């Protein structure tokens, strides 16, 4: 289990595309590891729960879950138990992704649980206000992603730079230890460079790399301007 | 991937107990396989998503998921995609467990999806009426479990035999191909025998075996009266 | 409190349009009552919870809720309690509308609750299969509405007549006392006539009337071909 | 429509008890108004949606909703639209009550919506951390209620005074304009006095008054020590 220890960081969200499921997921994780090794860049992959064990056995980069449920061990059939994900090899998790929004008290509980288990917490948010709220709960990362730009190919760092800057500013005033990531629409080295210049410490992205014709080339381009 | 092809069947729901997570889950699955081999009885295990790959690589009995989300491949971060669970080794899934109740349209979609993928569908229900409703959707199994008896140690086959009988009767009138399982409070061979005499074709159970001091002995006793 | 006692029936879903909120809702309910009186046609309105009391005091046609929660009286802050809606003047409710989908066990509980309170139950469904499932739970009405046609202006009775016919057929085989309504895309007298010819006993509709320039004229046209 | 303009304030949550439904709700609201008039104390009632219109027509104290959905006007059958609640007479709303927990982004949207409509926002929270998060979203009030004490008769002001003090402290450091209320287990004048001494500006309570043999006497006692 390898956590995210340095920034800048790229977190690649595999979502539930067939292109990033099962054997395809393993291949994409290996490509991510290769680019990380070649460039010295920190790259983490966030994969579907059934793929965590297999991938974490075969690659040496951080493997994150996509979701943890706010439950303790016991009678919770069908829930994602943090302890189970960790034992399978997850070193952290996305929390409150726009495709899996959570209740406020659940976000609080999950952050506490990951901290207790030594796992990274990456809370996704939709605007400056919810980013500030999330920062008070002391996660490792807040990834701000205006929902209208997710999967759009239009990078938030260009379309709404004030959202990224505003998030960085408010989070630094609340808790400077929380790192800001920039999500939504990121796919190129230019996008990532812009995101970093706005004060973020990395990016969270998915389709721009996952669905690229050549994911390795796309990933190499992504980190090429930093 | 090994589906459930014969009845009577025992489905062991691992839930999210630490006693049935990770390495403990693997051990329990091996015990289940051993008892299945020794007795010739059909035993399937329903395990947490992160444990499916590892367990299905190591045992030769049906491994079920505990939950599938009603989503198609794509942008559904944090969801349980049927295709991913299947590739990891799941040959079927619980649906609508009392700890993970689903919307009516979702149950319909998931049953259709599992049928398309050649996976077993086991819909959990809470009474005769919802069992009838579930049966119209053509799952492989309906497991009727009055919620007040789950984890109680009081077997439904004794406390409310009329629920099991009524479910068997109504389901046979709607769709005789749907098999009825009996859940809630089952833990001994006597309980299982009673369940079968009421017309069910097997049992779904959890804590009675998972949390037993000696799960192997408990499992051997469970199938000893049939 | 006036229940729906005869068919054919038109149920007008006010949804949460400003055009059918508060005073606008009251006006629309009065128009509905006027058309009902003039034509002898059964017209019911399904209005937002805060508007039920005021409207039911002023019109003499059935006033339905849009949703009831599956809760008993007690500590359920923010829930829609059946007893409260009934005392405010609701004589029935929509259940499981495509914009408020419910869990299977909730649909069962709500139908039982409405039956006990003498209220009409109108379960909305999305296809033939879920219509059959709903019918086993013995509601008064099943309103089948393929979600892709809701608000489309394309009537289900023309676009997918086989869904209406199939629903009528399967429901009659399961429980002939359950009446089938036809929803989704209905707005004209032609649509309603087609719906009736396919075997339904009425329609559930919203924007086609609510957002019409002249709702009274639209409603008169709707019932003109029967 | 009368908003909460002064503190200390008592907000009486009617929940979904039959004792505070329909005519009973109206009577309880009149008692609350009487005590408010006699003592000069600010008392607001938070009532079920179907009861808002009737009660707000008959009493001259603030009437709050128990829940608003994070939706805009349109196609949202069964949702609680802010505009509808306001037109019916609600001058504010509870948000995120422990019996109706909401997603983080929804709390943000609802607070913005109430501010825009001139309605009071009262966000309920379960601990110091989520209170801080809520305060960043600029509601009028945060009502902290440890869930284990709700309805217990054990006042949070005595059982966990550090939660109230901690909440007051952290909220004042984040946004001094947000007022803190104290909930959970409050029922007597002593409880309320203790709550005020810990820095809160009022209480949110339910069963202690609603289910009292003599609600008027209970309410008079509640405000007697301030």
């Amino acid at each position: 289990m390898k956590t995210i220890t340095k920034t800048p960081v790229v977190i690649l969200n595999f979502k539930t595309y067939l292109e990033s499921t099962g054997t395809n997921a393993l291949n994409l994780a290996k490509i991510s590891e290769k680019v990380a090794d070649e460039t010295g860049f920190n790259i983490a992959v966030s994969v579907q729960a059934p793929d965590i064990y297999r991938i974490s056995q075969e690659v040496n980069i951080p493997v994150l879950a996509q979701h943890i449920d706010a439950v303790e061990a016991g009678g919770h059939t069908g829930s994602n138990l943090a302890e189970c994900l960790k034992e399978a090899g997850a070193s952290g998790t996305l929390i409150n992704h726009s495709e899996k929004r959570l209740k406020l008290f659940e976000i609080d509980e999950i952050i506490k649980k990951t901290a207790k288990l030594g796992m990274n917490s990456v809370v996704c948010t939709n605007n400056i206000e919810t980013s500030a709220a999330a920062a008070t709960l002391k996660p490792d990362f807040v990834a701000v992603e205006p929902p209208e730009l997710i999967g759009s190919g239009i990078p938030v760092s260009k379309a709404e730079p004030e959202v990224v800057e505003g998030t960085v500013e408010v989070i630094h005033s609340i808790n400077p230890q929380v790192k800001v990531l920039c999500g939504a629409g990121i796919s190129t080295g230019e996008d990532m460079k812009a995101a970093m210049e706005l004060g973020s410490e990395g990016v969270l992205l998915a389709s721009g790399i996952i669905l690229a014709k050549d994911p390795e080339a796309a990933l190499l381009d992504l980190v090429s301007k930093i």
Side-chain angles (χ1 to χ4, degrees), chain A:
Chain A
M1 197 183 94
K2 192 171 178 174
T3 56
I4 302 170
T5 48
K6 289 188 307 178
T7 58
V9 65
V10 168
I11 300 179
L12 205 50
N13 178 6
F14 281 24
K15 296 194 172 182
T16 52
Y17 294 112
L18 292 182
E19 291 82 354
S20 47
T21 289
T23 302
N24 290 342
L26 181 60
N27 291 340
L28 213 43
K30 286 183 175 171
I31 288 171
S32 303
E33 182 187 40
K34 186 180 169 203
V35 173
D37 286 347
E38 285 174 10
T39 62
F41 214 89
N42 294 283
I43 302 176
V45 291
S46 179
V47 310
Q48 296 174 70
D51 287 334
I52 291 173
Y53 181 80
R54 188 179 178 191
I55 289 175
S56 68
Q57 295 288 311
E58 303 228 12
V59 301
N60 193 29
I61 56 175
V63 176
L64 310 182
Q66 294 179 358
H67 170 64
I68 283 182
D69 283 292
V71 298
E72 294 301 319
H76 302 289
T77 301
S79 287
N80 283 6
L81 182 71
E83 287 84 347
C84 188
L85 292 158
K86 183 180 173 181
E87 188 172 340
S91 65
T93 188
L94 302 184
I95 298 169
N96 193 45
H97 188 274
S98 73
E99 294 157 6
K100 194 82 178 176
R101 288 291 189 225
L102 298 177
K103 297 178 180 180
L104 172 58
F105 85 94
E106 294 175 320
I107 298 173
D108 176 44
E109 288 187 11
I110 298 166
I111 292 173
K112 287 171 179 164
K113 187 74 176 281
T114 52
K116 198 173 151 191
L117 294 176
M119 299 170 79
N120 286 133
S121 51
V122 182
V123 180
C124 302
T125 55
N126 59 315
N127 61 25
I128 297 174
E129 292 82 354
T130 53
S131 297
T136 66
L137 303 173
K138 306 193 178 71
D140 296 321
F141 297 93
V142 167
V144 63
E145 302 190 291
E148 65 278 15
L149 298 178
I150 293 177
S152 70
I154 304 168
V156 61
S157 46
K158 281 188 185 158
E160 304 183 20
E162 69 283 3
V163 171
V164 182
E165 285 180 310
T167 297
V168 169
E169 190 181 342
V170 74
I171 286 185
H172 283 190
S173 79
I174 286 175
N175 187 339
Q177 290 190 291
V178 177
K179 294 175 178 65
V180 177
L181 302 181
C182 185
I186 304 287
S187 58
T188 70
E190 286 299 334
D191 300 341
M192 175 140 184
K193 190 181 170 204
M196 303 293 294
E197 287 170 356
L198 293 166
S200 74
E201 300 191 40
V203 295
L204 170 64
L205 79 173
S207 55
I209 304 293
I210 306 293
L211 303 181
K213 279 191 185 170
D214 183 343
E216 184 173 344
L219 208 42
L220 280 168
D221 177 63
L222 183 76
V223 301
S224 64
K225 313 286 186 193
I226 309 301

